[in-house]
Amino acid sequence: MDLWQVLLTLAVAGSSNAVSGSEATPAILGRASQSLQRVNPDPGTNSSGKPQFTKCRSPELETFSCHWTDGVNHSLKNPGSIQLFYTRRSTQEWTQEWKECPDYVSAGENSCYFNSSYTSIWIPYCIKLTSNGGTVDQKCFSVEEIVQPDPPISLNWTLLNVSLTGIYADIQVRWEPPPNADVQKGWIVLEYELQYKEVNESQWKMMDPVRSTSVPVYSLRIDKEYEVRVRSRQRNSEKYGEFSEALYVALPQMSPFACEEDFPFPWFLIIIFGIFGLTMILFLFIFSKQQRKEN
Ligand SMILES: *[C@@H]1O[C@H](CO)[C@@H](O)[C@H](O)[C@H]1NC(C)=O
Ligand SMILES: *[C@@H]1O[C@H](CO)[C@@H](O)[C@H](O)[C@H]1NC(C)=O
Ligand SMILES: *[C@@H]1O[C@H](CO)[C@@H](O)[C@H](O)[C@H]1NC(C)=O
Ligand SMILES: *[C@@H]1O[C@H](CO)[C@@H](O)[C@H](O)[C@H]1NC(C)=O
Ligand SMILES: *[C@@H]1O[C@H](CO)[C@@H](O)[C@H](O)[C@H]1NC(C)=O
Ligand SMILES: *[C@@H]1O[C@H](CO)[C@@H](O)[C@H](O)[C@H]1NC(C)=O
């Protein structure tokens, strides 16, 4: 092993721990969701008092669920009086028959869950809410219009390279699709949006949507700490799903000796030669002094 290899091995060993670390920051996430809860009023307390649909969502184009608000007086006086009915168009015409919600339980309170047996794509559905027999809200949609995928998972990052000056670095961020989305067989095609910011900033920077599950992020400052998050949507759809947990990125502080194998410039050679040169000069200086003394 020559000197070069020894130095390189030491440098890589010393920096590898710092290079690919990644921990979400539960404390920050926890705080964020608390303040969100304060900002959004509880949807169950709408002043209009009537139950109404708040959201229908399909996470993977295979099942869907719809949620509604509880009217102000409802839960106290007439528990169980709200019902959801649905109808969907058969191949030729609307089957005018309204059927009741197949599952009021699985998606939580005030919701109706349609498992895969009840979910068809490219077929319009209409749903209505009734309270004591009277219709209070109604809406129509097709399942592919209400897709909002679950968050991507397993975010991680690796260092790509560091600028000559040691001030900026490029990283590659990777993730995995939401586990319930069948992207392997192509049942659903997703695209992803990555956002990042300095830990101390409040504004996220948005990157263009990509189809791949990894993307480079350029010119991050080595001396800053970053957060990265990713969300996905069905391709050609407008609505994104929820964001992934934030990935915390602290770039390794590069001393001239702590280089990656692909570090673009051998600074340490220059420094070694510098130290070597200085030693020589010192040596010559002392040597000449001693000679002078002897003379
Ligand atoms: C409350 O009801 C009003 C009137 O129906 C509606 O415009 C508003 O969007 C509802 N708010 C929520 C949070 O559901
Ligand atoms: C709720 O109850 C109050 C009084 O009990 C009544 O005046 C109001 O109309 C009710 N609202 C609805 C939406 O039923
Ligand atoms: C859907 O739910 C019904 C009962 O509500 C059940 O009989 C059926 O097996 C379920 N289908 C699937 C695919 O889980
Ligand atoms: C990220 O990748 C590194 C190695 O490449 C691994 O040690 C680490 O556990 C990964 N982190 C996560 C959250 O998967
Ligand atoms: C990383 O390397 C590429 C070319 O290999 C270069 O264009 C880019 O500017 C470098 N990144 C930094 C931060 O220097
Ligand atoms: C964030 O700001 C605080 C104080 O404003 C500072 O102490 C801290 O070092 C900053 N963190 C980063 C990563 O810049």
Side-chain angles (χ1 to χ4, degrees):
M1 237 192 196
D2 58 22
L3 177 65
W4 174 285
Q5 273 176 319
V6 172
L7 281 172
L8 207 60
T9 312
L10 284 175
V12 169
S15 63
S16 65
N17 284 348
V19 169
S20 48
S22 62
E23 290 285 319
T25 48
I28 287 174
L29 289 172
R31 246 180 286 137
S33 64
Q34 268 172 18
S35 57
L36 272 181
Q37 275 163 12
R38 269 199 303 277
V39 172
N40 294 330
D42 179 358
T45 58
N46 195 326
S47 54
S48 80
K50 278 189 179 171
Q52 54 186 203
F53 287 118
T54 47
K55 185 170 199 175
C56 288
R57 167 178 178 249
S58 169
E60 64 327 49
L61 211 53
E62 292 169 38
T63 67
F64 70 98
S65 56
C66 290
H67 297 255
W68 57 86
T69 59
D70 218 349
V72 270
N73 295 351
H74 162 69
S75 53
L76 299 171
K77 289 194 173 171
N78 319 303
S81 71
I82 294 182
Q83 290 168 293
L84 179 146
F85 293 91
Y86 73 99
T87 181
R88 54 183 169 183
R89 191 164 62 189
S90 67
T91 38
Q92 283 94 27
E93 58 199 296
W94 287 98
T95 49
Q96 275 306 318
E97 187 192 358
W98 290 88
K99 295 184 190 146
E100 189 166 4
C101 168
D103 180 352
Y104 285 111
V105 177
S106 298
E109 223 185 327
N110 301 324
S111 77
C112 180
Y113 176 68
F114 295 79
N115 72 16
S116 55
S117 309
Y118 294 95
T119 304
S120 321
I121 57 169
W122 311 123
I123 291 178
Y125 281 74
C126 285
I127 56 174
K128 67 179 182 185
L129 268 189
T130 64
S131 176
N132 300 317
T135 300
V136 288
D137 200 3
Q138 178 164 350
K139 66 193 278 179
C140 299
F141 54 84
S142 179
V143 173
E144 60 283 355
E145 294 166 359
I146 57 166
V147 171
Q148 284 182 277
D150 280 352
I153 59 163
S154 303
L155 267 70
N156 211 337
W157 65 280
T158 47
L159 187 65
L160 284 180
N161 63 351
V162 176
S163 68
L164 275 178
T165 50
I167 294 175
Y168 295 101
D170 304 335
I171 64 170
Q172 185 86 13
V173 178
R174 292 168 203 284
W175 58 88
E176 283 169 26
N180 59 1
D182 186 359
V183 294
Q184 293 296 328
K185 296 205 204 86
W187 178 251
I188 186 168
V189 180
L190 298 180
E191 61 184 20
Y192 303 91
E193 183 193 69
L194 182 145
Q195 298 191 355
Y196 68 101
K197 68 176 183 69
E198 277 176 32
V199 167
N200 276 355
E201 287 176 337
S202 51
Q203 199 77 34
W204 291 85
K205 295 189 187 72
M206 236 179 277
M207 293 182 57
D208 290 336
V210 292
R211 293 273 296 278
S212 56
T213 53
S214 78
V215 74
V217 182
Y218 297 114
S219 295
L220 300 181
R221 285 190 64 107
I222 297 254
D223 56 343
K224 305 283 186 194
E225 290 160 7
Y226 291 89
E227 282 177 295
V228 177
R229 62 184 187 178
V230 181
R231 59 182 179 170
S232 70
R233 66 180 176 191
Q234 191 187 12
R235 202 176 162 224
N236 298 327
S237 157
E238 279 175 25
K239 274 192 203 149
Y240 280 102
E242 298 283 313
F243 282 105
S244 66
E245 286 190 7
L247 171 71
Y248 174 75
V249 176
L251 293 158
Q253 299 285 339
M254 289 282 181
S255 83
F257 284 94
C259 331
E260 288 292 297
E261 273 158 291
D262 58 355
F263 195 63
F265 201 76
W267 284 109
F268 60 88
L269 277 190
I270 292 181
I271 288 170
I272 285 166
F273 281 122
I275 291 170
F276 183 70
L278 281 176
T279 316
M280 288 299 284
I281 291 166
L282 204 66
F283 182 80
L284 285 174
F285 179 71
I286 293 168
F287 183 72
S288 63
K289 258 201 173 162
Q290 222 139 49
Q291 289 229 317
R292 230 180 291 148
K293 244 187 247 167
E294 277 168 23
N295 292 344

